[in-house]
Amino acid sequence: MEQEQAHAARLRRVVLTVAVLNLAYFFVQFTVALGAGSVSLLADSVDFLEDTAVNLLIFVALGWPLARRAVMGKVMALIILGPAAYATVEAVRRFAHPQAPHVVPLAVASLGAIVVNGVCALLLARVRHTGGSLSRAAFLSARNDVLVNVAVIAMGLVTAATGSGWPDLVLGCAIILLALRAAWEVWELSEEERLAARALAGEDLD
């Protein structure tokens, strides 16, 4: 029991730290994205806000019983879909007239995002098995963010070479796919916790 409480306390400290880091960098990247005119960077900045919400929810829900945590895991999966929906709206809105973003501020902001998300992913990797679907949701989100940041930089290089706005829109579609996969994984894990809670309660799983 004492060991479980120690693990829970450690996880709470980690997710609170991650939430603060994500909230701080959201304002940085959102401002740069508006100036650079990048759909993918704007969607990624909203993702920092989503990560803030995910980790704060984990901080609050950690002391809950297994059944309630399973419900919260499903909520986490839906929250992960937020940036995908936002990216879709922006992509559709700019599809007729794609504009090339400014590459230099985009690349600098993405490098900073890699550092922030990399630190968060490392912190969460050490505790991702402690909180079930909740901590798994946070880890998957941070891990995917690093991949997206690298992709944004690659997209910037392609944009610099071609002067086209299409790479920015294509990357938006990639962000959607990453979010869908992460959401599905978290949903499956939360379903396992729901079934485990029913088994502990002596309910028939058939």
Side-chain angles (χ1 to χ4, degrees):
M1 180 65 69
E2 291 183 1
Q3 188 175 9
E4 291 181 1
Q5 291 177 345
H7 286 322
R10 182 187 179 194
L11 179 56
R12 284 170 66 87
R13 288 194 299 270
V14 168
V15 296
L16 186 59
T17 300
V18 170
V20 171
L21 288 173
N22 276 279
L23 181 60
Y25 205 76
F26 160 73
F27 292 105
V28 174
Q29 195 167 30
F30 185 80
T31 302
V32 175
L34 291 178
S38 170
V39 175
S40 59
L41 194 65
L42 191 61
D44 193 39
S45 71
V46 175
D47 192 58
F48 276 100
L49 197 58
E50 170 241 316
D51 287 344
T52 301
V54 167
N55 284 280
L56 286 178
L57 283 171
I58 294 172
F59 182 79
V60 172
L62 239 168
W64 292 357
L66 189 60
R68 191 176 295 181
R69 279 169 48 184
V71 174
M72 184 58 69
K74 287 183 169 58
V75 174
M76 297 298 101
L78 295 176
I79 289 177
I80 290 175
L81 294 177
Y86 187 86
T88 300
V89 171
E90 286 299 304
V92 171
R93 189 173 67 84
R94 302 192 185 191
F95 190 84
H97 303 287
Q99 296 180 347
H102 300 293
V103 175
V104 174
L106 181 148
V108 172
S110 295
L111 285 173
I114 287 175
V115 173
V116 173
N117 285 318
V119 170
C120 292
L122 287 174
L123 290 172
L124 291 166
R126 299 172 182 174
V127 296
R128 70 180 183 275
H129 300 300
T130 302
S133 63
L134 296 179
S135 56
R136 180 69 172 171
F139 170 71
L140 285 171
S141 186
R143 182 201 64 183
N144 289 345
D145 290 345
V146 175
L147 299 177
V148 169
N149 299 147
V150 173
V152 170
I153 293 177
M155 179 273 295
L157 294 176
V158 174
T159 299
T162 64
S164 171
W166 283 107
D168 199 35
L169 293 181
V170 170
L171 183 56
C173 294
I175 294 175
I176 293 171
L177 293 177
L178 276 174
L180 288 174
R181 180 176 179 179
W184 176 249
E185 289 182 29
V186 173
W187 186 276
E188 284 187 320
L189 285 169
S190 67
E191 184 64 15
E192 290 176 6
E193 289 187 337
R194 184 184 70 83
L195 293 175
R198 290 182 59 188
L200 287 174
E203 296 182 18
D204 187 1
L205 300 181
D206 294 333

